[in-house]
Amino acid sequence: MAEIIDGKKIASQIKEEAKQRAAELKNAGYRIALAVVCVGDDPASGIYVRNKKKACADIGIESLSYELPEETTQEELLALIDKLNRMEECSGILVQLPLPSHIDENAVIRAIDPAKDVDGFHPENVGALCIGQPGLVPCTPAGIIELLKRSGIEIEGKECVVVGRSNIVGKPMALLLLRENGTVTVAHSRTRNLEELCRRADILIAAVGRPRIITKDYIKEGAVVIDVGIHRNEANKLCGDVDFESVKERCSAITPVPGGVGPMTIAMLMDNCVQAVFMAHEKEKGGKAPDGDRE
Ligand code: NDP
């Protein structure tokens, strides 16, 4: 019987650590504030934004809220980002995606000061991750690395297969596993023999966006399975990309949906908000800010 990796528990440990680091930074006179920018009234985005604000309040991070109407132009949004980039009291900027179709998401991401880019999507942060330099890392894959490490799962030397190559999950996930010395294969919609490829994995990360596509036939006996997907099934219950019931009989550890990767994403966002302040002041001082980096 597989170990069920408890994402809620690990996320609350990370949030507690972020809270302590935030308090230390604030005691040393630093200000931590996250600006959340939302354009339009997508109901799902509304829920995410509320959850982010609540997490900020729990951790002691100020939140600045910008709710803009659907018809906001790209120029208006870029002007707001420019203002937030220059605003000293704002240490992190998050633009809730997706944006309305008349706005170029890439232009918006590029406009954010990389030092305030708590989502880790700016090309400068992506490049830093790629060449092994410090930077802000996308929250979902960073959270998965924490789930693995804090569950005592070794990555070094393991065959890791990532199914999905999106910019927010699959690609940064592959880079992070590589940084941890995993041997990484990335699969996508054009991959041949996906089932056979997945069966090679000691660690399988499913970030496909297809409900329960990964069945037990894709799993090597004893593998670790991380399910990133979030869907509603026929009974309107949450499920993932992995067929949990059949897969848990074959693997050694698995994340559930809900309660696995999901809670980690917001915990790592809080961690990034603290990390952004820590890195900015370390750079400014050319020395060390209070408390060390986790790594
Ligand atoms: P995207 O749709 O951006 O990417 C999906 C990836 O899966 C693509 O690279 C695509 O390949 C690949 N893919 C699609 N179909 C197949 C297939 N049949 N076989 C192999 N590969 C396939 O999704 P995201 O990366 O943004 O998200 C993935 C899932 O994770 C979604 O369910 C999303 O809701 C969830 N998610 C959960 C988060 C959390 O906090 N738990 C955070 C972010 C996402 P190609 O590139 O060739 O099109």
Side-chain angles (χ1 to χ4, degrees), residues 48 139-141 144 162-171 186-191 194 206-211 213-214 218 227-231 239-241 257 260-266:
Y48 292 137
C139 302
T140 302
I144 292 170
V162 180
V163 190
R165 57 173 166 180
S166 72
N167 290 341
I168 63 167
V169 189
K171 280 184 203 144
V186 182
H188 45 78
S189 66
R190 314 289 170 87
T191 297
L194 183 65
V208 200
R210 301 261 186 276
I213 187 176
I214 306 293
Y218 289 61
D227 190 353
V228 187
I230 311 177
H231 316 276
C239 71
D241 289 345
V257 178
V261 173
M264 295 301 291
T265 300
I266 210 149

Side-chain angles (χ1 to χ4, degrees), residues 14-287:
I14 288 175
K15 284 194 273 188
E16 198 47 47
E17 289 162 20
K19 189 172 177 175
Q20 282 171 22
R21 288 180 81 200
E24 283 166 16
L25 284 163
K26 285 196 290 182
N27 284 340
Y30 300 130
R31 198 163 168 181
I32 314 179
L34 172 65
V36 179
V37 181
C38 196
V39 185
D41 49 11
D42 176 53
S45 294
I47 297 171
Y48 292 137
V49 167
R50 273 198 299 284
N51 290 344
K52 285 167 188 173
K53 284 185 196 159
K54 183 180 177 302
C56 283
D58 292 346
I59 272 126
I61 295 174
E62 281 176 69
S63 54
L64 312 165
S65 186
Y66 297 86
E67 280 165 34
L68 309 180
E70 178 87 21
E71 56 276 11
T72 302
T73 65
Q74 183 164 319
E75 289 65 35
E76 286 165 335
L77 180 56
L78 291 175
L80 172 63
I81 290 171
D82 183 50
K83 182 175 123 188
L84 295 171
N85 283 342
R86 285 184 282 112
M87 217 162 103
E88 220 169 286
E89 60 269 34
C90 162
S91 54
I93 303 171
L94 183 150
V95 178
Q96 186 63 42
L97 302 177
L99 288 166
S101 56
H102 64 278
I103 298 180
D104 175 359
E105 271 182 16
N106 287 326
V108 173
I109 292 169
R110 268 198 313 274
I112 298 172
D113 177 351
K116 295 188 180 186
D117 167 39
V118 287
D119 261 337
F121 295 162
H122 189 284
E124 191 171 312
N125 283 317
V126 176
L129 174 60
C130 200
I131 59 172
Q133 305 237 322
L136 293 163
V137 175
C139 302
T140 302
I144 292 170
I145 295 291
E146 287 301 319
L147 277 182
L148 293 170
K149 286 186 173 176
R150 290 173 190 236
S151 304
I153 295 160
E154 208 182 335
I155 302 170
E156 183 161 327
K158 296 284 175 65
E159 285 268 3
C160 305
V161 174
V162 180
V163 190
R165 57 173 166 180
S166 72
N167 290 341
I168 63 167
V169 189
K171 280 184 203 144
M173 186 74 253
L175 291 166
L176 284 170
L177 289 165
L178 198 57
R179 188 165 91 176
E180 298 296 331
N181 300 317
T183 301
V184 185
T185 306
V186 182
H188 45 78
S189 66
R190 314 289 170 87
T191 297
R192 295 192 191 133
N193 302 327
L194 183 65
E195 193 178 306
E196 198 184 311
L197 185 85
C198 289
R199 268 203 308 268
R200 285 199 345 226
D202 300 312
I203 299 174
L204 179 67
I205 316 277
V208 200
R210 301 261 186 276
R212 287 172 294 179
I213 187 176
I214 306 293
T215 63
K216 74 173 191 322
D217 298 334
Y218 289 61
I219 308 297
K220 177 164 89 176
E221 191 79 44
V224 172
V225 180
I226 304 291
D227 190 353
V228 187
I230 311 177
H231 316 276
R232 293 241 168 230
N233 67 12
E234 313 76 39
N236 203 31
K237 281 189 140 184
L238 288 177
C239 71
D241 289 345
V242 176
D243 181 31
F244 184 83
E245 290 306 321
S246 70
V247 169
K248 80 177 193 308
E249 302 304 326
R250 185 165 287 180
C251 64
S252 63
I254 183 166
T255 57
V257 178
V261 173
M264 295 301 291
T265 300
I266 210 149
M268 296 314 290
L269 174 67
M270 296 301 107
D271 187 72
N272 269 358
C273 289
V274 176
Q275 188 65 10
V277 174
F278 176 81
M279 289 190 330
H281 288 282
E282 193 172 55
K283 195 171 165 192
E284 185 182 284
K285 286 166 46 176

